Amino acid sequence: MSDSAGVTVSPLVMANAIRALAMDAVQAANSGHPGAPMGMADMAVALWGRHLKHNPVNPHWADRDRFVLSNGHGSMLIYSLLHLTGYALPLQELKHFRQLHSKTAGHPEVGITPGVETTTGPLGQGITNAVGMALAEKLLASEFNRKDGDVEHAIVDHHTYTFLGDGCLMEGIGQEAISLAGAWKLGKLIALYDDNGISIDGQVAPWFADNTALRFVASGWNVIGPIDGHDAEKVAAAIAEAKAQAERPSLIICKTSIGKGSPNRAGTAKAHGEPLGAEEIALTREALGWTHGPFEIPADVYAGWDAKKAGAAREAAWNKRFAAYKKAHPALAAEFTRRMAGDLPAHFAQTAVDTVVQAHAKAETVASRKASQLALEAFTAALPELLGGSADLTGSNLTNTKSTPNLRFDLQGKVVKTEAANGEMVGGRHINYGVREFGMAAIMNGVALHGGYIPYGGTFLTFSDYSRNAIRMAALMKQRVVHVFTHDSIGLGEDGPTHQSIEHAASLRLIPGLDVWRPADTAETAVAWTVALDNRDRPTALLLSRQNLPYLPKNGLGDIAKGAYVLAEPAGKQKAQAVIIATGSEVQLALKAQALLAQEHGIAVRVVSMPSTTRFDRQAAAYKKAVLPAGLPRIAVEMGVTDFWWKYGVSAVVGIDTYGESAPAPVLFKHFGFTEQNVADTVRAVLAGQ
């Protein structure tokens, strides 16, 4: 390998630098996984030394290749690569591997370490994120690239690479991702499989006997290998072969030895998840011919790895192409720049206001899932970056709109375009994910991480269990992803307890950094969407009803975005004796109970609609006190587990702590006590017990 100054360093020496850093960092931390980076070092030389298009000085360059270390426990591989190639990751950070506030966490974290594209660790999600990134690249290229005569304006033209191991292929989400990547013909997605046959428990053969090559072939992939993963030249040639075809994603099977170079631990589980130990490290240094001390990298090795000059030249060439593109297509260039920056258009604020006000003016009685679709009609028309989808429940989730035709690809893998109302040919913006809730959620994370689109996807709320860890990862990574969860309660009726959400709203609210909304009508739903789209640094879950919900009369709309507001005060100038807090479909019950209490018992209550507990919790103390005054008994009403509500100092909860039943929704509401009479009786019992 040579840099521009003519310094020549052998691929083996470059790989051994990674092995040495991995050994030393794990030993210094007395924690970590040295085996994977040592085994994948030669693969890394082939990719990062020969093919990867990136600029260490600008990790956010729009047209860079994306690299995902799906087997994230091997984090010292990527930390070594980032350090060696010239990213802002000094050696001192490697010496602080796995230590508090270092930039070298146990598993790679996006936003913490320059050059890390996604947070990996939960196996299978990295490859799935990579599928999302490759999809975003393909769709952006189709949307923005232009050809003017003989001039190609290819401003979006990069690959997505991922390293993955046996664990990623064992996880069910791995197959979800593999299948979709093949169906979508993601020709610029290249996965390198670290086929070492070892996991924490030892040789994987007794529990992982798949014919991996045929599995990928059956899913529509181009499969190369098996090849010797320790021969950087062969791996580099295989990558070139994969890049030469664009019809299918590629898998390169690299046969490797975990802990390569360690005389006594290579090829064994002992190299997987613990330090090699001082004695074995000394023996490994000797076996590798690496004569340098801990964390010592010779100048010629640094020079051989240094990618700053080449990266700057690549970005400069792209900048020149983009300047020509901007001159030829100024509006498109401005739109591309805006979207890659993650900025909403200037008109969004007005669109949001108009959508909410229109919902209020129409005052329609519809299911909140339908209210969501009504809001989406406006937002998808105004925001071309909205990329929707559903896990085989489009007709139930109502995630499609007039502006989002189904995404389809032709036999050559090109995006199928249809004529829009304005005569423009546009690609599909609604994805049929199939029955793959987890895959959908993690792919949406990848799309968001890539930039250029705001992804949203739908399924039933109960099935959020399938996608839970990807939702958590979106929150951890602070990504703008919107989950549309419909059929949010026993109100879905006859499908029964397998489909009726009980604990789901409460458990989603416990995920740090996730906004959860359970709106009660069209206006609250429109506001929820507005806030979700404006959330640059957090995902959102919208919990929506199957059954129709009446519009709730309001004095104003301004406080809905705060997550909770006073919907109805007692009639006349009566002073409230209690507060009923309700969410979603149960707010109408609260209003009916308020009327019943006033008419039949002379009891005055305030009704608070709390569509988003997570938003309300972040409000100023004065506002929260104004909505929920001290000294007034509080009664919560929600079709879900009661435990969650005690945090608000309630005296009682009208909820459900059992699984549901199969029956028409009105029958279930009466059976489980979701009636205005039961809510009123609960308020009376609380007041009587004071």
Side-chain angles (χ1 to χ4, degrees):
M1 310 292 287
S2 286
D3 75 340
S4 57
V7 177
T8 300
V9 182
S10 74
L12 180 59
V13 171
M14 293 176 69
N16 286 344
I18 295 173
R19 294 184 173 106
L21 288 172
M23 291 190 300
D24 293 341
V26 172
Q27 187 69 22
N30 196 30
S31 171
H33 300 76
M38 294 173 73
M40 294 187 289
D42 305 290
M43 297 160 55
V45 170
L47 175 59
W48 283 66
R50 295 288 183 86
H51 290 282
L52 195 71
K53 183 175 71 172
H54 65 123
N55 183 6
V57 178
N58 182 13
H60 304 294
W61 169 33
D63 200 42
R64 69 190 182 280
D65 289 340
R66 271 62 169 182
F67 174 75
V68 174
L69 183 67
S70 190
N71 41 354
H73 55 270
S75 57
M76 271 308 304
L77 177 78
I78 193 167
Y79 297 150
S80 299
L81 288 165
L82 294 171
H83 170 71
L84 291 167
T85 56
Y87 286 79
L89 191 68
L91 190 63
Q92 195 65 21
E93 293 290 348
L94 274 64
K95 293 180 179 179
H96 289 165
F97 178 55
R98 290 187 161 222
Q99 304 310 299
L100 184 64
H101 301 318
S102 76
K103 294 183 179 181
T104 49
H107 293 81
E109 295 186 35
V110 68
I112 301 297
T113 313
V116 169
E117 301 283 3
T118 180
T119 301
T120 54
L123 294 176
Q125 288 196 61
I127 171 63
T128 315
N129 293 164
V131 170
M133 293 175 185
L135 176 66
E137 190 275 345
K138 186 167 188 171
L139 298 184
L140 284 169
S142 176
E143 187 175 351
F144 286 98
N145 290 352
R146 291 292 187 271
K147 185 174 183 180
D148 300 331
D150 295 331
V151 180
E152 291 275 0
H153 294 292
I155 63 164
V156 182
D157 185 13
H158 54 266
H159 287 79
T160 302
Y161 298 96
T162 181
F163 284 7
L164 69 159
D166 297 300
C168 292
L169 297 179
M170 289 186 233
E171 290 282 4
I173 190 176
Q175 184 56 41
E176 294 182 28
I178 292 161
S179 180
L180 282 167
W184 295 338
K185 304 181 187 298
L186 300 180
K188 288 184 177 177
L189 172 63
I190 300 175
L192 285 83
Y193 169 30
D194 178 32
D195 184 9
N196 61 35
I198 296 291
S199 70
I200 291 174
D201 283 352
Q203 293 281 345
V204 301
W207 56 85
F208 185 53
D210 299 18
N211 187 321
T212 298
L214 291 184
R215 178 177 158 194
F216 275 77
V217 169
S219 299
W221 285 58
N222 170 49
V223 177
I224 301 171
I227 63 173
D228 182 358
H230 297 303
D231 188 329
E233 299 294 341
K234 287 184 179 178
V235 177
I239 296 170
E241 181 182 342
K243 290 167 68 176
Q245 63 87 43
E247 293 77 27
R248 294 173 292 168
S250 291
L251 176 74
I252 303 172
I253 302 174
C254 300
K255 288 288 187 179
T256 62
S257 176
I258 192 170
K260 172 71 173 179
S262 171
N264 299 301
R265 295 198 175 190
T268 74
K270 290 291 287 182
H272 189 284
E274 62 185 69
L276 297 183
E279 183 178 343
E280 186 66 16
I281 288 175
L283 292 172
T284 304
R285 275 185 153 77
E286 184 179 350
L288 296 174
W290 189 263
T291 59
H292 316 287
F295 297 103
E296 288 183 10
I297 304 295
D300 62 334
V301 175
Y302 272 124
W305 269 114
D306 191 355
K308 294 191 296 293
K309 187 174 182 178
R314 285 170 170 152
E315 184 173 355
W318 181 84
N319 287 337
K320 186 177 180 180
R321 293 199 306 275
F322 189 77
Y325 177 81
K326 185 176 181 179
K327 185 176 181 180
H329 304 280
L332 281 173
E335 178 72 358
F336 178 79
T337 301
R338 175 188 72 79
R339 285 173 50 179
M340 291 305 295
D343 298 330
L344 295 174
H347 61 72
F348 172 76
Q350 189 61 53
T351 301
V353 170
D354 293 345
T355 303
V356 175
V357 170
Q358 186 178 47
H360 180 61
K362 287 187 174 181
E364 293 177 283
T365 294
V366 295
S368 54
R369 60 171 176 161
K370 181 62 179 179
S372 170
Q373 187 180 45
L374 293 173
L376 275 173
E377 288 288 356
F379 290 134
T380 54
L383 302 177
E385 59 263 47
L386 276 176
L387 182 65
S390 172
D392 206 48
L393 288 168
T394 301
S396 293
N397 301 148
L398 303 183
T399 46
N400 58 331
T401 70
K402 294 183 181 68
S403 300
T404 58
N406 287 329
L407 178 63
R408 296 290 184 267
F409 302 94
D410 63 22
L411 293 176
Q412 287 72 46
K414 294 181 179 179
V415 176
V416 174
K417 295 190 175 184
T418 56
E419 188 173 351
N422 61 2
E424 185 182 355
M425 299 301 291
V426 297
R429 288 168 56 198
H430 189 271
I431 302 170
N432 300 107
Y433 285 98
V435 189
R436 300 183 181 95
E437 296 88 357
F438 195 2
M440 175 178 69
I443 285 170
M444 288 197 295
N445 288 349
V447 169
L449 286 159
H450 181 280
Y453 294 101
I454 301 173
Y456 67 93
T459 186
F460 288 180
L461 177 55
T462 307
F463 304 143
S464 65
D465 287 335
Y466 284 128
S467 48
R468 179 61 58 94
N469 199 257
I471 299 171
R472 180 180 188 270
M473 292 300 292
L476 177 62
M477 296 188 290
K478 302 179 179 179
Q479 294 302 303
R480 180 164 46 188
V481 176
V482 184
H483 294 271
V484 180
F485 293 128
T486 67
H487 298 61
D488 68 342
S489 71
I490 61 172
L492 72 89
E494 292 88 341
D495 280 339
T498 62
H499 286 50
Q500 293 168 4
S501 299
I502 301 296
E503 75 278 21
H504 298 82
S507 62
L508 286 168
R509 291 167 180 149
L510 294 176
I511 298 176
L514 175 69
D515 260 0
V516 181
W517 286 82
R518 190 165 183 254
D521 61 16
T522 53
E524 287 190 3
T525 305
V527 170
W529 265 109
T530 297
V531 174
L533 295 172
D534 207 36
N535 274 342
R536 295 179 66 106
D537 59 355
R538 64 177 62 234
T540 301
L542 305 178
L543 317 187
L544 308 171
S545 75
R546 179 197 186 201
Q547 72 272 26
N548 286 341
L549 306 179
Y551 190 79
L552 308 174
K554 304 172 179 64
N555 294 321
L557 303 169
D559 287 338
I560 299 175
K562 295 178 180 177
Y565 62 103
V566 178
L567 177 65
E569 294 282 29
K573 295 184 179 181
Q574 287 183 291
K575 189 176 181 181
Q577 298 166 257
V579 178
I580 302 176
I581 309 167
T583 78
S585 53
E586 290 74 79
V587 179
Q588 60 180 309
L589 283 183
L591 290 175
K592 290 177 180 179
Q594 180 194 44
L596 182 63
L597 287 163
Q599 294 165 8
E600 296 190 5
H601 304 285
I603 296 174
V605 299
R606 167 185 284 188
V607 174
V608 169
S609 179
M610 192 177 286
S612 178
T613 65
T614 52
R615 287 282 292 189
F616 181 67
D617 289 349
R618 298 199 300 275
Q619 301 307 312
Y623 180 77
K624 290 191 282 189
K625 186 177 180 180
V627 174
L628 301 176
L632 282 184
R634 305 165 187 175
I635 298 88
V637 186
E638 184 174 62
M639 291 187 199
V641 291
T642 60
D643 278 357
F644 171 82
W645 287 101
W646 301 106
K647 65 180 282 188
Y648 293 105
V650 298
S651 300
V653 183
V654 179
I656 177 170
D657 289 316
T658 67
Y659 294 111
E661 297 279 353
S662 179
V667 175
L668 293 176
F669 297 156
K670 184 177 181 179
H671 176 74
F672 287 107
F674 292 100
T675 64
E676 58 263 40
Q677 187 65 59
N678 187 44
V679 175
D681 289 346
T682 303
V683 174
R684 291 177 63 208
V686 167
L687 293 175
Q690 286 186 314

